[in-house]
Amino acid sequence: MAYVMFQYDRPTESHRWNDYNQHVRDWIAQLLQIPGAVSFMAYRTTDGASPNTITMLEFRTVEDARKAQESEQMQRILDELRSLGVAARILLVERSPFTPKPFQA
């Protein structure tokens, strides 16, 4: 599995915060329609650390994730985030061969 990871701080200005919240569900739906997308998950920090939001868009292969990262759909969402003052850092990651599946406690 491979992932396109977004790392960013959500807007703090009230008008941008409201706009951001109104778009989140649409962005998730659009991301899941990118060819090869398997799942989407978002995480928020609990201690106020920055970046305070990390999302993981999962793909079956690194090649699918790479194509998605360069896709028009992804660029459109990044442009919309930028218009709200969100500067997302994008990483392409894959599972380590040492932990192909999570270890259980």
Side-chain angles (χ1 to χ4, degrees):
M1 296 294 193
Y3 303 84
V4 175
M5 178 190 297
F6 287 36
Q7 297 177 334
Y8 61 89
D9 289 317
R10 294 180 309 280
T12 55
E13 298 170 2
S14 62
H15 71 283
R16 287 186 169 174
W17 173 255
N18 290 332
D19 288 344
Y20 172 87
N21 285 336
Q22 290 176 351
H23 286 91
V24 169
R25 283 187 169 81
D26 290 336
W27 290 329
I28 294 169
Q30 290 172 39
L31 289 168
L32 287 169
Q33 290 185 4
I34 294 175
V38 173
S39 69
F40 178 86
M41 192 67 191
Y43 304 89
R44 293 180 173 185
T45 61
T46 59
D47 61 1
S50 179
N52 62 25
T53 303
I54 299 166
T55 69
M56 306 283 287
L57 182 59
E58 182 181 22
F59 293 86
R60 286 181 187 84
T61 67
V62 171
E63 186 59 30
D64 285 345
R66 188 171 286 118
K67 287 178 184 176
Q69 186 178 11
E70 299 169 358
S71 72
E72 183 179 320
Q73 299 101 312
M74 182 85 65
Q75 295 309 310
R76 187 171 39 249
I77 292 167
L78 290 170
D79 289 344
E80 290 177 14
L81 283 166
R82 274 188 221 99
S83 76
L84 297 175
V86 174
R89 180 176 179 210
I90 309 302
L91 300 171
L92 181 60
V93 299
E94 65 179 334
R95 288 188 180 171
S96 166
F98 296 104
T99 57
K101 294 182 180 181
F103 287 103
Q104 302 296 314

